Amino acid sequence: MTTPDPPPASLRLRIDAQALAENWRTLDRLSGTAEAGAAVKADGYGLGIDNVMPTLVRAGARQFFVAHWSEVPDVLAHVPGESIAVLHGVANEREAAFARATGVLPVINSMLQARVWHESGGGACHLMVDSGINRLGVEQQCMGDPAIRQLQVDTLMSHLASADEDTAQNARQLAVFREAAAQLDASRLSLANSAGIALGPDYRFDLTRPGLALYGGIPRGELAGHIRPVVQIEAAVLQVRDLSPGDPVGYNAIWHADKPTRAATISIGYADGILRSWGSGGALQHDGATLPIIGRVSMDMVIVDCTGTVLAEGDFCNLSYALPQASRISGLSQYELLTVLGQRFQRVVEQD
Ligand SMILES: *Cc1c(COP(=O)(O)O)cnc(C)c1O
């Protein structure tokens, strides 16, 4: 027996393909003489690899970054292996063999990884130098080590810890990266993530690596007005009811009606990425009306105050997901807001 197609979802994530393409082109332009790549790790920052890759490729992106080898097959369906870089690098022979078989380039992060790659046959790879984030990467002092010298480095990269802030750490990291670059013969240099692009021409080198801003995130004020929102959320009303003064709402009865109130139960919850922190101060919208979330966010539902509206079962409400504002309301970072989005959304790519 074949299962029929499920009915339309009660939860939708609309992805504006034009805004995504324009954001990439904007970041590529802001990168000056450098070329912009695209970070598509974590399933394209939660939007779905198959939803973002065709648009990014059509816009002109040629270099893609993922973190894990497990993310490679989905990206390989859209671009050749040499266009993909795996940020976590090669920890062992199995990973090196997979890199070789797919043509994907590892980002070598440690002396051990350099040896693993060399002993498995070597060839083109990328190299991460740690310029002060102290997370992943070879120490700058090791650039002259024979294990590093014998690598065939396509792109030498480093990663900024605080590019979204005005702090002296940025210039310090830039100086360390320049020293490393002077010691090594790499085809390309790459330092800037989304926020780094806005730090100015010194930070751009040959290749930039935007992620967040592609998907509508605004990590620095300079990017506001340039970056368009990409994501919209819509969730269906499951039920509407009238409350009397004193009636409690939701788990643990943390909210009570203080006057006659109309409440609607909406098909979105923390399992979808709308975490409990949205419960204090968050709201949905319908037809110009603001519908404050009342009571605790549940796994599959939130309850909103829809007093004075004509909201009815089956209507769809919007949850504004403009990332800077949503971040302030929820207390989650713009990165978290994207990557926590769950699997129950019907992800719809809108071409115009
Ligand atoms: C995730 C990541 C990026 C993208 O950073 P954004 O802040 O999302 O633009 C770039 N480089 C590295 C090494 C990363 O891990």
Side-chain angles (χ1 to χ4, degrees):
M1 196 195 103
T2 54
T3 311
D5 287 340
S10 63
L11 190 51
R12 299 193 285 243
L13 188 70
R14 292 191 186 280
I15 300 165
D16 183 338
Q18 251 183 34
L20 176 61
E22 216 174 289
N23 288 345
W24 183 82
R25 285 193 294 261
T26 296
L27 291 159
D28 187 54
R29 180 170 48 75
L30 293 175
S31 297
T33 54
E35 167 193 347
V40 295
K41 57 194 178 183
D43 204 22
Y45 283 52
L47 305 191
I49 276 291
D50 291 340
N51 296 326
V52 301
M53 283 299 293
T55 301
L56 291 170
V57 169
R58 228 176 294 130
R62 290 295 174 265
Q63 177 68 63
F64 298 89
F65 298 91
V66 295
H68 291 241
W69 292 100
S70 63
E71 301 182 283
V72 164
D74 288 347
V75 184
L76 262 184
H78 301 276
V79 290
E82 61 266 26
S83 301
I84 306 171
V86 173
L87 291 163
H88 285 189
V90 277
N92 52 54
E93 270 174 47
R94 290 283 300 276
E95 293 184 354
F98 185 73
R100 224 165 280 295
T102 53
V104 171
L105 275 64
V107 179
I108 301 300
N109 287 295
S110 68
M111 302 302 286
L112 182 65
Q113 289 199 353
R115 284 190 285 273
V116 165
W117 184 243
H118 183 69
E119 280 160 22
S120 77
C125 63
H126 304 298
L127 178 65
M128 176 71 75
V129 57
D130 193 305
S131 55
I133 193 172
N134 285 310
R135 191 178 67 170
L136 270 186
V138 175
E139 305 295 319
Q140 180 254 317
Q141 293 83 344
C142 298
M143 285 297 109
D145 192 289
I148 298 299
R149 292 218 158 271
Q150 68 194 2
L151 295 175
Q152 190 185 319
V153 179
D154 175 311
T155 305
L156 176 69
M157 56 184 89
S158 192
H159 193 54
L160 296 166
S162 311
D164 55 346
E165 292 179 68
D166 290 315
T167 154
Q169 190 181 14
N170 293 324
R172 279 202 301 274
Q173 287 198 259
L174 176 61
V176 173
F177 183 58
R178 280 188 168 141
E179 266 183 67
Q183 290 167 267
L184 196 95
D185 200 17
S187 311
R188 297 189 293 183
L189 302 175
S190 174
L191 179 61
N193 60 346
S194 299
I197 292 170
L199 288 178
D202 286 356
Y203 289 81
R204 293 169 194 155
F205 295 94
D206 303 309
L207 173 70
T208 59
R209 308 188 304 269
L212 182 71
L214 294 172
Y215 311 106
I218 301 182
R220 288 187 64 94
E222 295 91 337
L223 294 177
H226 292 286
I227 295 300
R228 288 174 50 184
V230 172
V231 172
Q232 269 190 318
I233 288 176
E234 296 169 358
V237 177
L238 299 171
Q239 202 174 105
V240 180
R241 59 166 28 80
D242 288 304
L243 305 172
S244 304
D247 283 349
V249 161
Y251 281 125
N252 307 110
I254 62 168
W255 190 93
H256 292 81
D258 59 3
K259 54 181 180 298
T261 301
R262 203 159 162 74
T265 305
I266 315 291
S267 176
I268 189 168
Y270 61 75
D272 306 301
I274 307 309
L275 305 189
R276 285 190 357 177
S277 61
W278 277 93
S280 38
L284 280 75
Q285 295 81 32
H286 181 261
D287 209 9
T290 297
L291 315 172
I293 296 174
I294 55 179
R296 202 150 257 170
V297 174
S298 314
M299 187 183 295
D300 316 308
M301 288 164 272
V302 297
I303 303 162
V304 298
D305 182 343
C306 63
T307 308
T309 74
V310 294
L311 199 66
E313 281 179 28
D315 286 348
F316 274 81
C317 297
N318 299 301
L319 174 64
S320 173
Y321 224 63
L323 293 170
Q325 293 90 321
S327 173
R328 279 193 291 276
I329 292 167
S330 65
L332 302 173
S333 76
Q334 297 182 55
Y335 297 86
E336 290 171 305
L337 284 167
L338 289 168
T339 55
V340 292
L341 292 170
Q343 291 309 309
R344 295 192 295 204
F345 286 94
Q346 181 190 359
R347 285 167 165 78
V348 186
V349 181
E350 306 210 298
Q351 295 300 335
D352 46 31

